């Protein structure tokens, strides 16, 4: 009826330190992504498709990390690591759905850069407000039915023997290890869904950037090439962080000794990416940096 999430139980002397560390990380994620979300909604200079998608991406990062970190912080503080079967299934469903949303949204952001750089004259028509809303809405909801189905299918398996989950949240690989009987068909389904929701968007991103690079290299001036590459570099860094760890976690062959590796990789796509997202997009983007500098003075002016 319940699992025991071991998270960092193997280092009992570091529990308070880890609690403080992850609490600080959670606050940084909420503040950093929250600021990016607010300025993309409020600053008149950032009312473009690129920043509309960025604002949604920052909101997604807040939702994504809030599914795992608060529960892990509670576990580190209280040392109570049990989680009911229903709560575990609910957490997994949210993680899978939001993970699928992140894959689709990163692909949409790559398409936006492709349209802006490769078809600049048609860009306002191609990426109008209605299209942007449809792309974002599709990213948020398209994974819901499949991920609910996948979660129900995994938790319909019989679980017997150990209920110790060597992870810090309810993820597919450690859950399947606790299932009784043959899980080959379940693993194949996980592989198929991962290929659909992770590999396909990743390939679309690669194709988009292949065309972008080809177009940029044909630009006459070094300044134009540098400006075009600078608008894409932030997105590429986030793509590398998220998809790199996600592809290895869900598409690599499973081994008996992979639990520790799964935990480390999961930290990357659930915590590291949301931490670095606001830093990458703010420090490497002149428009965002300018909006951040001007926002406090504008806010004071409005209040006065």
């Amino acid at each position: 009826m319940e699992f025991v999430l071991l998270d960092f139980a193997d280092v009992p002397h570091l529990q308070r330190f880890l609690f403080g560390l992850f609490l600080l990380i959670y606050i940084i994620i909420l503040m950093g992504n929250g600021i990016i979300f607010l300025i993309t909604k409020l600053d008149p200079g950032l009312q473009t498709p690129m920043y509309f998608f960025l604002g949604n991406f920052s909101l997604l990062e807040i939702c994504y990390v809030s599914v795992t970190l608060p529960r892990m912080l509670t576990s580190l503080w209280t040392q109570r690591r049990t989680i009911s079967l229903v709560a575990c299934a609910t957490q997994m469903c949210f993680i899978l759905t939001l993970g699928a949303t992140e894959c689709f949204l990163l692909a949409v952001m790559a398409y936006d850069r492709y349209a802006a750089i490769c078809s600049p004259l048609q860009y306002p028509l191609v990426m109008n407000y209605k299209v942007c809303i449809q792309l974002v809405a599709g990213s948020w909801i398209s994974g819901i039915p499949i991920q609910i189905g996948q979660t129900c299918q995994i938790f319909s398996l019989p679980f017997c023997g150990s209920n110790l989950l060597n992870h810090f949240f309810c993820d597919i690989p450690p859950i399947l290890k606790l299932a009784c009987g043959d899980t080959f068909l379940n693993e194949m389904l996980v592989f198929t869904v991962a290929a659909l929701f992770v590999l396909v968007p990743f390939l679309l991103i690669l194709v988009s950037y292949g065309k972008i690079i080809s177009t940029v290299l044909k630009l006459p001036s070094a300044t134009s090439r540098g400006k075009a590459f600078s608008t894409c570099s932030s997105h590429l860094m986030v793509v590398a962080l998220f998809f790199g760890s996600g592809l290895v976690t869900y598409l690599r062959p499973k081994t008996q000794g992979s639990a520790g590796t799964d935990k480390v990789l999961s930290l990357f796509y659930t915590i590291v990416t949301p931490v670095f997202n606001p830093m990458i997009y703010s420090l490497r983007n002149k428009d965002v940096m300018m909006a951040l500098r001007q926002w406090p003075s504008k806010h004071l002016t409005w209040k006065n």
Side-chain angles (χ1 to χ4, degrees), residues 10 21 24 53 55 63 92 103 107 124 153 165 192 198 209 223 292:
D10 53 339
L21 176 64
L24 178 63
F53 296 135
C63 297
M92 178 190 283
C103 292
Q153 190 265 340
L165 205 61
T192 304
V198 181
Y209 275 103
T223 306
L292 284 171

Side-chain angles (χ1 to χ4, degrees), residues 177-189:
K177 286 181 182 177
L178 299 184
C180 302
D182 186 15
T183 59
F184 176 75
L185 289 176
N186 303 90
E187 289 174 7
M188 289 306 299
L189 177 64

